[in-house]
Amino acid sequence: QVQLVESGGGLVQAGGSLRLSCAASGGTFSSYIMAWFRQAPGKEREFVARINWGGGVVDALFAKGRFTISRDITKNTLYLQMNSLKPEDTAVYYCAATTNWRAVMAPGEYDYWGQGAQVTISS
């Protein structure tokens, strides 16, 4: 069973950048499909991006060209580089993991979750 811990959240101005990290422990990191989700107040959890074993990436439409998901297997760490941030990107960002190779966008497809990192973008 894998444990996930996010870090790197914070408060930035619109147009700025942040990089979130998700440290994994207790499992074989390279065997998991990894993803980022976010949840804004009063809204459902929303898919951001997913990366598979081979480095294949699926991005949400709003993330294309602004957000980049990546992973460092040697460090057991997942990243989300976020650029050109907007106030509507304000949310708690969660990393998630699963061994289900079919998993893409649905939160229910993921078995393990981090505690979340708050990202706040000021206008």
Side-chain angles (χ1 to χ4, degrees):
Q1 182 169 340
V2 64
Q3 290 82 45
L4 305 172
V5 179
E6 299 96 336
S7 61
L11 170 66
V12 298
Q13 289 187 330
S17 298
L18 277 176
R19 188 177 80 158
L20 302 180
S21 300
C22 173
S25 61
T28 304
F29 184 66
S30 60
S31 67
Y32 290 93
I33 302 292
M34 303 293 297
W36 288 99
F37 289 81
R38 69 183 187 181
Q39 189 165 18
K43 295 188 177 181
E44 294 187 351
R45 195 162 294 191
E46 177 180 41
F47 171 77
V48 177
R50 185 219 73 179
I51 188 166
N52 66 13
W53 305 286
V57 170
V58 176
D59 295 317
L61 282 176
F62 69 81
K64 290 185 183 296
R66 297 194 301 128
F67 295 3
T68 303
I69 187 172
S70 62
R71 64 197 298 174
D72 186 334
I73 293 175
T74 65
K75 296 182 178 179
N76 286 358
T77 302
L78 177 74
Y79 301 102
L80 184 67
Q81 177 67 44
M82 303 185 291
N83 301 324
S84 302
L85 285 161
K86 306 174 183 180
E88 52 263 45
D89 294 319
T90 295
V92 177
Y93 283 71
Y94 298 90
C95 67
T98 181
T99 55
N100 176 8
W101 62 272
R102 292 186 177 89
V104 182
M105 297 182 181
E109 295 175 316
Y110 292 82
D111 303 308
Y112 307 103
W113 293 84
Q115 83 287 352
Q118 178 68 50
V119 171
T120 304
I121 312 302
S122 63
S123 57

